[in-house]
């Protein structure tokens, strides 16, 4: 009889201990999950404005490196086609270097599209420059660049800008 009583008490003790264990682990899991979501929410609060700023800056970058905008800004300051080419390339390089850190806040695809747009713009400028003598007036190079850009089916900066806009829509 004594053994049965001890066995019942031990069994009840084990059941109560298991119940307490399950309650504590369930409550602890809920607390950890809540903390995880709170931390995630704070991270989003911090990173979302940075990401949006990065997308804004890269949209501005793409607008600034479109040949039409570059040429409108820089043709009047150049003395020759060669000087215009160098000025255009330096402007693109400076803009890119100023914004290169923004890639941290973007997808790899978006950054690749931006880089492709920049590289294609540089290639168009260099290609046009091979067709124009270096001492020619800058307007001659500008016309050649415009004609090359118009011939392209898809404008590189416009395509990259479209990709950026699609990604921003996904964020919201």
């Amino acid at each position: 009889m004594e053994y049965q009583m001890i066995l019942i008490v031990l069994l009840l003790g084990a059941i109560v201990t298991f119940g307490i264990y399950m309650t504590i682990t369930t409550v602890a899991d809920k607390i950890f999950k809540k903390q995880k979501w709170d931390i995630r929410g704070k991270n989003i609060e911090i990173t979302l404005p940075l990401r949006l700023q990065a997308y804004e800056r890269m949209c501005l970058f793409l607008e600034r490196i479109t040949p039409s905008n570059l040429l409108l800004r820089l043709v009047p300051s150049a003395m020759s086609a060669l000087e215009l080419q160098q000025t255009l390339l330096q402007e693109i390089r400076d803009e890119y270097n100023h914004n290169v850190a923004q890639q941290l806040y973007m997808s790899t695809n978006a950054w690749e599209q931006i880089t492709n747009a920049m590289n294609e713009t540089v290639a168009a400028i260099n290609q046009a420059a091979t067709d124009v003598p270096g001492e020619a007036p800058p307007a001659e190079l500008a016309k050649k660049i415009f004609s090359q850009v118009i011939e392209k089916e898809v404008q590189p900066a416009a395509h990259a800008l479209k990709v950026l806009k699609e990604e921003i829509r996904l964020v919201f």
Side-chain angles (χ1 to χ4, degrees):
M1 198 57 138
E2 262 182 54
Y3 291 117
Q4 287 179 337
M5 198 56 120
I6 292 174
L7 191 58
I8 291 173
V9 169
L10 284 176
L11 186 59
L12 287 175
I15 291 172
V16 169
T17 303
F18 181 73
I20 291 172
Y21 170 77
M22 290 303 291
T23 303
I24 290 173
T25 56
T26 303
V27 170
D29 280 346
K30 286 182 181 179
I31 290 171
F32 289 137
K33 284 181 183 177
K34 184 182 180 320
Q35 286 176 341
K36 183 179 175 182
W37 281 105
D38 288 347
I39 290 169
R40 188 165 192 236
K42 286 182 182 182
N43 284 342
I44 289 172
E45 271 181 47
I46 293 167
T47 59
L48 184 61
L50 293 173
R51 285 186 72 196
L52 289 175
Q53 182 183 30
Y55 282 100
E56 286 174 9
R57 287 181 65 177
M58 295 320 296
C59 287
L60 181 60
F61 168 76
L62 290 168
E63 288 295 331
R64 289 179 61 85
I65 69 163
T66 58
S68 58
N69 290 334
L70 275 172
L71 293 169
L72 287 173
R73 252 188 356 261
L74 301 174
V75 167
S77 66
M79 302 299 278
S80 68
L82 178 61
E83 187 179 323
L84 177 60
Q85 177 193 16
Q86 292 170 343
T87 304
L88 292 170
L89 296 177
Q90 186 62 46
E91 180 78 9
I92 292 170
R93 222 175 291 118
D94 290 346
E95 286 282 338
Y96 181 80
N97 289 336
H98 180 72
N99 290 298
V100 75
Q102 302 310 314
Q103 67 184 300
L104 292 172
Y105 302 106
M106 303 183 151
S107 73
T108 302
N109 179 48
W111 188 254
E112 285 173 358
Q113 295 302 318
I114 291 166
T115 304
N116 288 344
M118 181 195 65
N119 290 336
E120 286 185 39
T121 303
V122 167
I125 292 167
N126 287 333
Q127 179 60 45
T130 61
D131 297 340
V132 175
E135 61 280 348
E140 206 173 306
L141 177 60
K143 286 178 192 174
K144 193 69 174 169
I145 293 170
F146 274 129
S147 68
Q148 282 197 352
V149 168
I150 290 170
E151 289 174 7
K152 292 191 177 207
E153 219 173 278
V154 176
Q155 301 302 314
H159 177 70
L161 198 54
K162 181 182 173 190
V163 170
L164 289 180
K165 287 177 181 179
E166 288 172 1
E167 281 198 15
I168 290 170
R169 284 187 191 105
L170 290 175
V171 169
F172 293 107

